[in-house]
Amino acid sequence: MKQIKAFLRGGAEATRTHEASTADHVINVAEAPADAGTSSSQPEEKPAAPQAPSSFYCPISMELMSDPVMVATGHTYDRVCIDKWIQQGHKTCPVTGMRLRHPELTPNYALRTAIQEWAAAHGITLNNQNRANATYKYEEEPRSILQGHDEIVWAVEVFGNRLFSASADKTIRVWDIESRRCEQVLEDHSRPVLSLALSNGKLYSGSYDFSIKVWDLSSLLRVKTLTGHTDAVRALAVADGRLFSGSYDGTVRVWDENTLQCLEILKGHTGPVRTLVHCCGRMFSGSYDKTVRVWDVSGLECMATLTGHSGAVRALVASPTKVFSGSDDATIKVWDVETLKCLKTLEGHEDNVRVLAVGQQYMFSGSWDKTIRVWDLNTLECIKVLEGHTEAVLALAVGDNHLVSGSYDTTVRFWDLSTFRCIRKCDGHADAVRVLAAANGRVFSGSYDGTKGCGNCHIRAARDPPYQPGSVAWSWFLGVVRLLPGAAW
């Protein structure tokens, strides 16, 4: 198991600038209970919240430590966090990755005293601080478990008041978001369902059975089965009345949305097609062959083959004028939509770039190096590195004010885009968080829950944390996170 990057040291001042920026997204003390009596407009007028020295924060939770303890390597963590780490079977130091000679924890009295003195001087109560940033759990909620998928959730899509989830159990489940009930189970695929797309009153599902099923959104009945691919259908995208399907057979097929007939088979990739994105009348396809191909949506001809990556292209996103491609070579390339020229190669990640997301001002990249990088859409410079996940970042969803990330570490984190602080970490999934979707003030997550194919993948609900103006409030499900109406999203 990979260990978290050593981002929190108690040492040299030369690293303090970066560490302080890490602390910036660790804790929002302005949301502490002392502010509860102020009006909703007052917090915006207050000076910046005080930031503690970086050594006061736990490298695991990214929160101020109330009971700092040292492990055998000499590194310090909050007791509750390192206890959980060890109880999960880990035998290494999270920061260094070094094997622990013994599991004994030694209280760091000097650091605890320093943290207490700093907290007292700044009016912060350690044992009740920053509830918005505490790990949110669901175990004690009596209504927490709703029966769901039996295996991995591969895709989630939202339409109106419904959530559609696709799973390795060969089904698509249709959920009523408000009641949290499963309305219907769509069972027609013979192998895992990998991809979903919604358009013009239809739901499209792509599967390992090489087919695409077309479902009517009103009746939830199957309309037609689209066949022709000779391997798994991994990506679906709709543009100008046409459905594009990317497959592990190396082709992209184009289907007319009205007649559901295959219009064209787009060939050229020499490896599996992993991802599709539409921008400005052009469909971009990313492949394990290390290239991105550009197809004219109207003429259905290849306009260009974008080369330069030295690893598989796993992620594509588009802004109004640019397309971004993330690769196993740890880089992101930026392509001009009009000229199809590479504007820049974004470097900084130390491992595969697994997922990309784009907002109004920024592009976000998640990597196997456990970090999220924030890139300015205009300057194409990295303006922040978000650290906190202890395993690979697999999923991202972005709104106007918040970024949500899902990780192999089984957690979902919420980041404030105005400060880039982590304002909430949610536990609940029993395995890696694979997919996220955001719509209408809500976020939904799908997981690898159900390891080894035994036991049920559930949807779990938790109590809603108290909502305060300007704060984030949501209901947490295993398989689903729901942002409550009114939360700034």
Side-chain angles (χ1 to χ4, degrees):
M1 178 179 178
K2 297 182 179 180
Q3 311 300 324
I4 58 174
K5 185 179 177 182
F7 67 89
L8 189 59
R9 309 282 190 196
E13 285 294 322
T15 63
R16 291 298 296 275
T17 301
H18 171 69
E19 291 170 348
S21 69
T22 299
D24 283 345
H25 64 259
V26 167
I27 181 170
N28 187 353
V29 294
E31 294 179 4
D35 292 339
T38 61
S39 67
S40 60
S41 61
Q42 286 177 329
E44 298 178 356
E45 300 173 358
K46 288 187 175 183
Q51 294 300 309
S54 60
S55 59
F56 288 8
Y57 295 96
C58 175
I60 296 175
S61 68
M62 302 174 67
E63 300 164 13
L64 278 175
M65 293 184 283
S66 59
D67 187 10
V69 293
M70 289 186 294
V71 296
T73 60
H75 288 81
T76 298
Y77 305 89
D78 209 0
R79 183 184 295 274
V80 65
C81 297
I82 194 64
D83 271 344
K84 179 178 178 181
W85 174 267
I86 293 173
Q87 289 169 8
Q88 288 177 341
H90 302 299
K91 298 180 180 180
T92 57
C93 173
V95 166
T96 65
M98 295 175 60
R99 188 174 183 83
L100 297 175
R101 298 190 305 276
H102 57 76
E104 295 178 8
L105 304 177
T106 304
N108 191 334
Y109 294 115
L111 182 58
R112 184 170 66 182
T113 299
I115 294 173
Q116 290 173 344
E117 291 176 350
W118 181 90
H122 291 84
I124 296 173
T125 304
L126 288 174
N127 62 2
N128 196 32
Q129 61 151 353
N130 196 18
R131 292 185 180 273
N133 202 33
T135 300
Y136 189 49
K137 300 180 181 294
Y138 58 83
E139 285 86 348
E140 298 179 358
E141 179 63 33
R143 298 177 57 251
S144 67
I145 301 179
L146 304 176
Q147 294 295 326
H149 290 294
D150 295 326
E151 296 186 41
I152 295 170
V153 176
W154 282 111
V156 289
E157 290 288 342
V158 180
F159 180 77
N161 195 44
R162 284 173 169 169
L163 168 72
F164 298 85
S165 57
S167 170
D169 65 11
K170 311 173 190 176
T171 71
I172 302 153
R173 286 184 173 259
V174 185
W175 308 90
D176 181 89
I177 294 172
E178 297 302 330
S179 68
R180 306 174 185 176
R181 296 181 60 184
C182 180
E183 291 185 1
Q184 195 159 329
V185 181
L186 308 183
E187 299 177 283
D188 204 43
H189 284 291
S190 60
R191 295 189 67 188
V193 185
L194 301 175
S195 52
L196 296 173
L198 294 158
S199 178
N200 295 326
K202 298 183 183 73
L203 169 70
Y204 302 96
S205 56
S207 168
Y208 254 120
D209 63 15
F210 310 168
S211 75
I212 303 161
K213 304 287 183 182
V214 185
W215 311 85
D216 182 89
L217 285 177
S218 298
S219 65
L220 296 179
L221 296 176
R222 180 176 58 81
V223 176
K224 190 172 183 179
T225 299
L226 309 182
T227 60
H229 282 297
T230 58
D231 208 332
V233 179
R234 192 62 184 88
L236 296 171
V238 179
D240 299 342
R242 294 174 172 181
L243 171 69
F244 291 73
S245 56
S247 169
Y248 284 169
D249 65 14
T251 70
V252 178
R253 285 182 175 253
V254 188
W255 314 83
D256 186 281
E257 278 206 278
N258 294 320
T259 66
L260 298 178
Q261 297 298 311
C262 183
L263 300 176
E264 191 64 76
I265 304 173
L266 308 181
K267 300 179 180 180
H269 283 297
T270 58
V273 177
R274 176 62 179 79
T275 178
L276 297 169
V277 71
H278 173 250
C279 186
C280 300
R282 299 169 181 185
M283 186 64 67
F284 295 76
S285 58
S287 169
Y288 289 172
D289 67 7
K290 309 175 187 178
T291 72
V292 177
R293 284 185 173 257
V294 188
W295 312 91
D296 180 77
V297 171
S298 299
L300 301 181
E301 295 181 352
C302 184
M303 302 177 64
T305 301
L306 311 182
T307 61
H309 281 298
S310 59
V313 178
R314 293 184 181 270
L316 291 172
V317 293
S319 71
T321 60
K322 302 178 183 74
V323 168
F324 301 83
S325 57
S327 170
D328 284 357
D329 64 13
T331 71
I332 302 141
K333 288 188 177 291
V334 188
W335 311 91
D336 185 278
V337 172
E338 294 299 326
T339 66
L340 301 179
K341 300 295 184 183
C342 183
L343 300 176
K344 189 173 183 179
T345 299
L346 309 182
E347 299 178 330
H349 281 298
E350 298 177 358
D351 208 333
N352 300 355
V353 177
R354 181 61 182 264
V355 60
L356 301 175
V358 68
Q360 295 181 351
Q361 294 179 274
Y362 310 110
M363 191 275 291
F364 307 89
S365 56
S367 169
W368 280 91
D369 67 10
K370 311 163 194 172
T371 71
I372 303 160
R373 286 185 172 257
V374 184
W375 309 86
D376 186 281
L377 285 178
N378 294 319
T379 65
L380 301 178
E381 295 294 330
C382 180
I383 63 170
K384 201 75 171 180
V385 179
L386 309 183
E387 297 175 294
H389 283 297
T390 58
E391 282 289 347
V393 179
L394 304 179
L396 296 171
V398 61
D400 292 335
N401 302 303
H402 298 91
L403 172 72
V404 186
S405 57
S407 169
Y408 235 119
D409 65 13
T410 77
T411 70
V412 174
R413 287 179 179 260
F414 290 74
W415 311 84
D416 187 317
L417 292 185
S418 63
T419 62
F420 296 114
R421 293 175 180 145
C422 179
I423 58 173
R424 181 65 66 97
K425 181 181 74 171
C426 295
D427 281 338
H429 283 295
D431 211 325
V433 179
R434 173 64 182 77
V435 290
L436 291 168
N440 303 321
R442 296 180 171 96
V443 176
F444 306 88
S445 61
S447 171
Y448 282 159
D449 300 319
T451 303
K452 299 180 182 177
C454 59
N456 285 327
C457 240
H458 298 117
I459 294 179
R460 298 179 184 253
R463 259 193 315 271
D464 304 328
Y467 176 75
Q468 296 178 359
S471 69
V472 175
W474 53 82
S475 293
W476 172 245
F477 304 72
L478 183 61
V480 180
V481 176
R482 180 169 68 84
L483 284 177
L484 295 180
W489 177 252

